[in-house]
Amino acid sequence: MSGSASLPAGPVTHRSVLAIAAPMTLAHLTTPLLGLVATTVVGRLGDAAALGGVALGAVVFDFLFWGFGFLRMGTVGLAAQAMGRGDALEQRAVLARALLLAFACGGAMVLLQWPIGRLARHLAGASPAADAALATYYGVRIWAAPVSLANYALLGWFTGLGRTGHALALQAGINGINIALCVLFVLGLDRGVEGAAEAALWAEAAGTLAGLLLCARLLGFRLEVPRAVVTDRARLMEMFALNRDIMIRTAALLAAFAFFAAQGARAGDVTLAANALLNTMVLLSVYFLDGFATAAEQLCGAASGARDRTAFSTALRLVLGWGYGFAVPAVAFFLLAGPTILGLMSTNGEVVAEAVRYLPFAALLPLFGVAAYAYDGVYVGALWSRDMRNLMLAALAFYLATWWALRPFGNAGLWSALLLFLAARGVLQAWRLPALVRRTFAEG
């Protein structure tokens, strides 16, 4: 279709699921390299305070930008729906609205950089030297907020239209430029902490420029969108409601994991360190589950837009099937190789012994998380954000109640509550799904 960047519609197959999940998993996997390279490069300077400041700065911006993840998730759903309807004009309008919102939110962060920075540094509680390094890093990188959020929107738009190869190229390109510039600025030009922040800023800016040029090419340089379409009240309200619900859902999810970390800390340094090792070890499986969730977002979104119930059901079945097909061997791998991996991750025998003690709980996380991640993707793609928000809040309440009941079991009870929280998310969404399917496809 002229002016459309979407791929031709086709039946939902195993290949179509993997064609989305595989590149998006790779895109997710490139992200941890940034923190590793930045800390390694700055660590070469031999300045512990500088290293601590950059590490804290990376955490600060991960937290700040994570809250705007709706710019990616919401754009996936809206773009996929427009693709399913074959609406080329709305595809362009979705991109325009998402970019306008991203630049507005990023601009607000720049304008409010002083109070945001003061709060972040207060919460970090670093030493004076590390705090000074954090302030330097923050003062430079905060200017990347508009383009960083714009890249969220671009990634979501590419993914929503089935262009996951482009999304992977954009994410990998941003990360590759960041790594190269970090080495150049910090080690080559001796710019220290400031150079590490500048690398991130210029990489994000280059990514936005490349992404916009790629969008223009995919659209055949038909970029015009009537102002009345972009500012259509009904569409704007749909976008704001979707993004609001996703933001609340994300905040609830962050609260659950923050609570887990806080309770682990209260159990002592050894338990805190052991839980950190276990979380790091199983993080890889989360990236794979995210890849399958992205496949659900795109395929179920397009099917919903086209009011194709068969394609929707097939996509859901295949995504769940591949998710469980990955999770079962992942559990076996963590159970068998976990003690060896944990031993390589830490030289503290007490911490490793504590981590091995709770390894069975962590190893089960991929299995318990399959449905939660997959249904999140389905709900985002189908634009069922209000239900996803409400069910997440219900699961969070269940998690806290479960932890309260299992407190006598200590860290084992905490891990059990986390696993049941993941299971509850999947069960609740599966329970609500039939009614939403009937409503959505009856409207077609």
Side-chain angles (χ1 to χ4, degrees):
M1 180 178 294
S2 179
S4 171
S6 58
L7 294 171
V12 178
T13 63
H14 291 284
R15 176 174 292 183
S16 59
V17 170
L18 295 178
I20 298 171
M24 293 314 298
T25 297
L26 292 175
H28 296 320
L29 287 172
T30 63
T31 301
L33 293 175
L34 292 181
L36 176 63
V37 170
T39 53
T40 300
V41 170
V42 174
R44 298 285 296 176
L45 300 178
D47 186 337
L51 177 59
V54 169
L56 286 173
V59 172
V60 166
F61 282 101
D62 283 346
F63 181 81
L64 282 177
F65 294 153
W66 183 281
F68 292 90
F70 61 79
L71 286 167
R72 186 201 67 80
M73 296 174 68
T75 304
V76 171
L78 293 170
Q81 292 263 340
M83 172 187 169
R85 294 193 302 269
D87 190 340
L89 178 60
E90 182 59 19
Q91 289 176 29
R92 302 198 300 275
V94 166
L95 176 63
R97 294 187 201 105
L99 287 173
L100 287 173
L101 181 59
F103 285 126
C105 291
M109 291 177 68
V110 171
L111 292 175
L112 297 172
Q113 61 179 281
W114 187 83
I116 294 173
R118 290 283 296 180
L119 177 61
R121 290 166 60 191
H122 172 72
L123 294 175
S127 68
D131 179 69
L134 170 58
T136 298
Y137 184 89
Y138 173 87
V140 174
R141 190 174 172 186
I142 189 63
W143 291 93
V147 286
S148 296
L149 298 187
N151 287 331
Y152 279 19
L154 289 167
L155 287 168
W157 190 75
F158 287 133
T159 304
L161 299 182
R163 298 282 182 172
T164 49
H166 294 80
L168 170 60
L170 180 61
Q171 185 70 69
I174 292 171
N175 293 342
I177 293 172
N178 195 337
I179 291 170
L181 290 181
C182 190
V183 173
L184 173 63
F185 291 166
V186 176
L187 299 182
L189 302 180
D190 195 26
R191 293 190 58 77
V193 171
E194 189 174 4
E198 289 171 344
L201 189 159
W202 288 113
E204 295 284 3
T208 300
L209 178 60
L212 291 174
L213 290 174
L214 186 53
C215 288
R217 182 181 177 187
L218 290 175
L219 292 169
F221 294 92
R222 288 194 59 189
L223 302 177
E224 71 281 357
V225 184
R227 180 180 298 180
V229 175
V230 175
T231 60
D232 178 82
R233 180 177 175 81
R235 294 295 188 188
L236 286 174
M237 293 303 296
E238 178 185 46
M239 180 184 71
F240 287 132
L242 175 67
N243 291 335
R244 176 203 64 206
D245 293 337
I246 293 175
M247 184 168 62
I248 294 172
R249 167 262 181 198
T250 302
L253 184 61
L254 285 173
F257 285 104
F259 181 84
F260 179 88
Q263 294 305 315
R266 291 183 179 182
D269 290 344
V270 172
T271 298
L272 174 63
N275 285 351
L277 287 182
L278 291 169
N279 281 325
T280 301
M281 186 183 70
V282 300
L283 184 62
L284 180 65
S285 65
V286 173
Y287 291 124
F288 280 91
L289 295 180
D290 266 339
F292 293 121
T294 302
E297 291 172 12
Q298 200 283 326
L299 294 172
C300 291
S304 296
R307 294 297 185 263
D308 187 339
R309 186 166 182 169
T310 299
F312 181 93
S313 299
T314 302
L316 173 59
R317 175 174 54 81
L318 292 180
V319 167
L320 285 172
W322 276 103
Y324 282 111
F326 158 77
V328 171
V331 170
F333 171 78
F334 287 133
L335 288 174
L336 294 173
T340 300
I341 296 173
L342 292 168
L344 294 173
M345 293 174 68
S346 175
T347 58
N348 187 312
E350 187 179 6
V351 171
V352 172
E354 184 78 354
V356 171
R357 179 182 176 188
Y358 297 106
L359 174 62
F361 295 98
L364 288 171
L365 191 145
L367 188 63
F368 277 73
V370 170
Y373 281 87
Y375 281 118
D376 271 356
V378 172
Y379 276 59
V380 168
L383 306 184
W384 299 334
S385 60
R386 183 181 64 179
D387 294 273
M388 181 177 68
R389 175 201 68 195
N390 294 341
L391 295 173
M392 174 64 82
L393 293 174
L396 178 61
F398 173 78
Y399 169 51
L400 297 176
T402 303
W403 166 80
W404 180 268
L406 296 176
R407 278 191 309 159
F409 298 97
N411 200 42
L414 181 63
W415 273 101
S416 297
L418 180 65
L419 292 176
L420 291 173
F421 166 65
L422 292 173
R425 288 171 56 197
V427 169
L428 287 172
Q429 291 182 104
W431 164 76
R432 179 64 177 149
L433 183 79
L436 293 173
V437 168
R438 287 193 298 269
R439 184 186 72 189
T440 296
F441 291 96
E443 292 173 356

